[in-house]
Amino acid sequence: MPQARFITLEGGEGAGKSTLARALAQRLQALGIAAEITREPGGSPKAEAIRDSILSGQIKSHGAFAEALMFSAARIDHIDTRIRPALARGDWVICDRFLDSTRVYQGVSGAVDPALMAELETVTIDGLMPDLTLILDIDPEIGLARAARRRAPGEAKDRFESETLDFHRGLRQAYLDVAAAEPQRCVVLDATLEPDALAEAAWRAVSARLLTPQEV
Ligand code: T5A
């Protein structure tokens, strides 16, 4: 059985990460590999509680570094109670957003000091880097329109969906910069592809980087 692997999915709003996470888990399960889907912020009861307070916008007035601290507090609990135990059991973990979201949303777009962000990341993840990060690249106008279509009637935009288009364009570039800086970990995918085609492209990356030809 292939060794447990940690895959993260990243990208702007409505890029299709949750949809892709389900498709990848099905592909792994078809090979007999147990795969657990989780998300950030959230993924554990304590982290889900923190998610609610951040996405409601309650922390926004405290500034981007305070938000980074909250995302990190949620991540520490998520890693300790969910991700590491799953990997220790031998399960693969597919996580919808992880450390790159903090780097990009709070670090780059929130303009928090890079050295401070790097120190915070180091203590938060305590060595748990993803084996593979798939970055779903999409024009934010398309992604935000998808996110808007998915909202229930009368449901308000969340903390980050409410930001300007320029903010979201900046996020897109920041993700591409992460991918360029860490090509050994990151693969950029065209998120305008139809869900099946996107899942196929993602699977090619997963199988090429994390599985041997005998395991596929
Ligand atoms: N955040 C998070 C930070 O600022 N810092 C951090 O450290 C972390 C961890 C999380 C917010 O928090 C921020 C980033 C976010 O703003 P969220 O609600 O979890 O908020 O938001 P997202 O992660 O952006 O999740 P979304 O659910 O909005 O988007 P997904 O998961 O990328 O998209 P998905 O799969 O739900 O699809 C959206 C819609 O598009 C359709 C789907 O059917 C759905 O209707 N769709 C497609 N349509 C066409 N083609 C495809 N390939 C499609 N894939 C999906």
Side-chain angles (χ1 to χ4, degrees), residues 44-119:
S44 65
K46 286 180 186 161
E48 289 289 333
I50 295 175
R51 173 189 175 94
D52 291 342
S53 62
I54 305 174
L55 297 189
S56 68
Q58 282 175 49
I59 316 297
K60 183 179 177 183
S61 64
H62 296 266
F65 185 57
E67 287 183 318
L69 291 174
M70 295 291 281
F71 282 114
S72 300
R75 181 162 303 136
I76 287 169
D77 187 69
H78 184 212
I79 289 172
D80 287 349
T81 66
R82 182 100 187 259
I83 300 177
R84 284 198 198 276
L87 293 171
R89 282 196 303 273
D91 294 353
W92 288 41
V93 175
I94 302 171
C95 190
D96 183 344
R97 295 192 181 280
F98 192 62
L99 59 84
D100 296 299
S101 289
T102 317
R103 286 186 183 182
V104 163
Y105 279 74
Q106 282 68 53
V108 179
S109 295
V112 179
D113 172 37
L116 195 54
M117 290 300 291
E119 286 181 42

Side-chain angles (χ1 to χ4, degrees), residues 92-164:
W92 288 41
V93 175
I94 302 171
C95 190
D96 183 344
R97 295 192 181 280
F98 192 62
L99 59 84
D100 296 299
S101 289
T102 317
R103 286 186 183 182
V104 163
Y105 279 74
Q106 282 68 53
V108 179
S109 295
V112 179
D113 172 37
L116 195 54
M117 290 300 291
E119 286 181 42
L120 179 60
E121 179 180 297
T122 300
V123 296
T124 301
I125 65 171
D126 192 22
L128 183 72
M129 278 302 277
D131 296 300
L132 175 65
T133 297
L134 301 174
I135 295 179
L136 276 57
D137 179 55
I138 194 164
D139 180 333
E141 285 189 79
I142 301 174
L144 287 166
R146 284 184 189 170
R149 275 197 300 275
R150 207 203 32 201
R151 272 197 298 277
E155 188 184 343
K157 292 179 185 175
D158 74 21
R159 154 74 184 91
F160 295 99
E161 287 168 357
S162 308
E163 289 286 354
T164 64

